Amino acid sequence: MKKIFLAIALSISLFKASADEGMWLPMLLGEQVYADMVKRGLKLTKEQLYSINKSSLKDAIIIFGGGCTGEIVSDQGLIFTNHHCGYGAIAAASSVQNNYLRDGFYAYNKDQEIKSQLTVQFLDKITDVTKEVEDAVKGLSWEERTKKLPDVIKAITDKVADKENGLEGRVYSMFKGNQYIMYVYKRFRDIRLVGTPPESIGKFGGDTDNWEWPRHTGDFSVFRVYAAKDGKPADYSTDNVPLKPKHFLPVNIKGFKDGDYAMIYGYPGGTNRYETSYGIKLKNEIENPSLVSLRDMRLKYMYAEMIKDPAVKLKLSSNYAGIANYWKFFDGETKQLIKFKTQQQKQEYEAKFTAWAKGKPEYENIFADYAKNYAAWTPYSKMRQYNIEGVVGSPLGAYAASLKSLEDKLLKPSTPSAEIRKAIEAATAGRKAFKEGEDLPSDEKIMAAVAMMYYNEVDKNQHPVGFFESMKGTFGNLKEEATFKAWAKDVFAKTMLLDDTKWAAFAADPTAVALQSDPAFAFANAFISNYNSKYAPLYTAFTNKNNELGRAYMKGIMEMNPAAVKKMYPDANFSMRVSYGNVKSYRPRDAVFYDYVTTSKGILEKYKAGDYEFDLPAKQVELLKKRDFGQYIDKRTNDLVIGFITTNDITGGNSGSPVIDANGNLLGLAFDGNYEALSHKIAFDKDLNRTICVDVRYVLWCIDKLGGASNIIKELKLVR
């Protein structure tokens, strides 16, 4: 195993990582960066970081749900993760009568823990499958390779699949297809909610503080993983027992100081650090501004309804949070990429590469081909964003678009009636789920605004033929906002997708004509069919060519600069990674200094009674004013530390990741990045990048002092 991964480390690279930069593959820590980790303060052995045969830190780290990280913190399968990671499960467990999202919840014994639909996955082992993949596609053209790869990968993962024991494999493309590594996971299916703070704590600061430091958000939630009595994964059952983990993290309540060692294990979702200048230009000029504009509109209309009614807020909260999170991110990303001249830096490197590649047939035309590829696709990029973030950004539009496959079946005379019945049942189930989350007033406004923005912003030659002409003929001048509002009102009034009686009649006797005549389906279908028939093939060709060029470019860099190989890491792709750095204050701009911690003093300064973003439970205000911090007080500040910052390299997917000290103890939970370094998916800033974390002492204070759940505290191994 060691020999295999040493080969990986010595065969792939791009640019050498700077200090604190790097999302390192856990099995390569010993060969690549262990010595530097020790120099920075680490006290653990290589085997304690990652081991196949013995328990190690990797055994306490889980994939939580579908896109977050969690950590095991007790010998009874207790999980800590972020509040926003558990948000959907908390909302699902809530009702207007038992509003756990608003009021918080703690189970004072295991019988009170609440069933969820979540799963968690533990990393079992890692295997290099590059040779197996490459042998299967050897000699194929890029197009043939692309088509065959899914089947090749499925054949590899099928060999390790074991449903009874919860085992499943996932093959990750590393370094743009120059390496393939399979992670084997064990999935557990019985996950229960143990505790959550009130939303006013878990989301304190709301959108105003999102991606910002100083921060005072108690972004945590608590769950537990259960298994059958034999320790195997099992569906929910009252006979199941808490999982006995291979490893769990002790909890450090001693505190830390500026400069102390910190590392983060987790599942970063995606970076593109090897992006070209062409990709950055497209992102800065078209993709990000379009996304931000459309999300800004959607959030405005949702927020207006949420503040009117607690039931609407509860219904829309999870969706709103997801939209808002990356609305601000992509706005900040563009500003930082422009500020730090990232596109120009890429161009300078690409010029050096092109000079080196001259006379080398495999590489000399790479950037000429990139230029042609981007020139061919760029005119259609905005239209694609408006479909993704606009047309199906409307919940009604999204559900209507999902009926496209039903239409396809209804249009084929050869489709068996049993297959149509099955499709109708699926559509009816989807409709039920859609209606449960639908807010009619906000969605109607969103649909009207989407249509108007599409008409005004997207090249008229790319509009669906006849759609806007028909709207004009029925509802009036397309230069008037009132026209689009009247059209949307008519859609919502007449669609069978919102009318139970009409839907029941359609479901009993479904026809393509009836579906196509529905105004909501006609809206979605016009735009989706227009894109699928004319532009989707162009986008597929664009991405395939980009992937082909990207793989060749990486290979060329490898040959151009072999000395950098030993200090390289692949882009994040939701495989387990480790980053290391230090707790550290910083100076974001002239005359401004940010300390490395925030305290209860700052919470009380921000607190605004009744405010949507800065309200707090009355009991918390009372306890903080009394300075009732108990064993969780920080001796240096003589206060309760709320949050802290580190230099760790993380991205989306790391939410809920444990921040671990030099001895392997839990210091806190990572939950955000700072605005000054929002270009981190593309370019890591060694001076300004900070990871924002909730201090575990604040987590425990909320559970214990505020929530009264001392039973949870007693379950932990506290390091004092």
Side-chain angles (χ1 to χ4, degrees), residues 400-668:
S402 75
L403 299 176
K404 192 83 178 76
S405 61
L406 173 60
E407 181 202 30
D408 292 341
K409 289 180 172 61
L410 292 172
L411 285 171
K412 293 178 183 176
S414 59
T415 306
S417 58
E419 190 174 331
I420 290 176
R421 180 52 45 199
K422 187 176 180 181
I424 286 290
E425 289 171 358
T428 301
R431 178 177 177 270
K432 181 176 182 291
F434 151 67
K435 285 191 69 182
E436 286 173 354
E438 171 70 338
D439 176 63
L440 295 174
S442 61
D443 196 8
E444 183 178 316
K445 293 182 179 70
I446 288 170
M447 185 175 282
V450 162
M452 184 173 69
M453 292 170 74
Y454 200 109
Y455 177 76
N456 290 326
E457 297 296 330
V458 175
D459 186 334
K460 300 289 190 292
N461 294 317
Q462 296 169 24
H463 290 181
V465 175
F467 180 83
F468 288 108
E469 291 80 0
S470 176
M471 182 187 294
K472 180 180 179 181
T474 305
F475 297 99
N477 192 338
L478 294 175
K479 293 182 180 180
E480 301 292 333
E481 184 180 12
T483 298
F484 295 91
K485 288 183 175 180
W487 163 77
K489 184 176 182 179
D490 187 70
V491 170
F492 274 72
K494 294 179 178 177
T495 178
M496 67 180 176
L497 307 188
L498 295 171
D499 187 308
D500 291 345
T501 302
K502 289 180 180 179
W503 178 263
F506 168 73
D509 183 23
T511 66
V513 172
L515 182 59
Q516 292 165 343
S517 301
D518 183 84
F521 181 78
F523 160 65
N525 191 40
F527 289 87
I528 300 304
S529 294
N530 178 56
Y531 177 78
N532 287 345
S533 62
K534 298 178 183 178
Y535 307 107
L538 300 179
Y539 183 70
T540 299
F542 168 72
T543 53
N544 283 344
K545 188 63 179 178
N546 254 15
N547 291 340
E548 181 181 7
L549 292 170
R551 185 169 185 264
Y553 181 37
M554 289 293 293
K555 187 180 176 186
I557 291 295
M558 183 166 53
E559 291 185 20
M560 177 182 168
N561 188 11
V565 170
K566 293 181 181 180
K567 291 287 287 183
M568 287 315 307
Y569 60 94
D571 268 320
N573 54 12
F574 207 56
S575 59
M576 184 185 283
R577 303 299 179 87
V578 181
S579 69
Y580 66 97
N582 300 87
V583 175
K584 196 172 183 179
S585 52
Y586 72 113
R587 298 182 182 276
R589 53 193 176 275
D590 186 41
V592 176
F593 172 76
Y594 282 155
D595 201 357
Y596 64 98
V597 296
T598 55
T599 65
S600 72
K601 180 175 180 288
I603 284 191
L604 293 175
E605 289 171 348
K606 287 183 176 180
Y607 165 60
K608 297 177 185 176
D611 187 82
Y612 189 77
E613 296 181 313
F614 293 98
D615 197 10
L616 287 170
K619 183 179 179 182
Q620 178 171 12
V621 175
E622 179 187 351
L623 290 173
L624 292 181
K625 286 182 176 179
K626 287 182 178 178
R627 296 178 53 79
D628 185 0
F629 306 142
Q631 64 179 330
Y632 312 113
I633 191 169
D634 179 67
K635 293 178 181 177
R636 184 187 72 88
T637 60
N638 194 35
D639 205 336
L640 179 64
V641 171
I642 308 301
F644 64 99
I645 49 175
T646 73
T647 60
N648 293 101
D649 189 2
I650 69 164
T651 191
N654 273 120
S655 291
S657 287
V659 187
I660 301 170
D661 69 16
N663 297 300
N665 304 314
L666 183 66
L667 291 174

Side-chain angles (χ1 to χ4, degrees), residues 5-27:
F5 289 114
L6 182 58
I8 299 172
L10 295 176
S11 67
I12 42 185
S13 75
L14 191 60
F15 317 105
K16 185 177 180 180
S18 59
D20 303 306
E21 177 183 353
M23 299 178 184
W24 305 97
L25 296 168
M27 64 283 181

Side-chain angles (χ1 to χ4, degrees), residues 318-333:
S318 185
N319 191 29
Y320 182 91
I323 296 168
N325 191 34
Y326 275 91
W327 158 73
K328 189 170 185 177
F329 173 86
F330 285 113
D331 180 55
E333 180 186 58

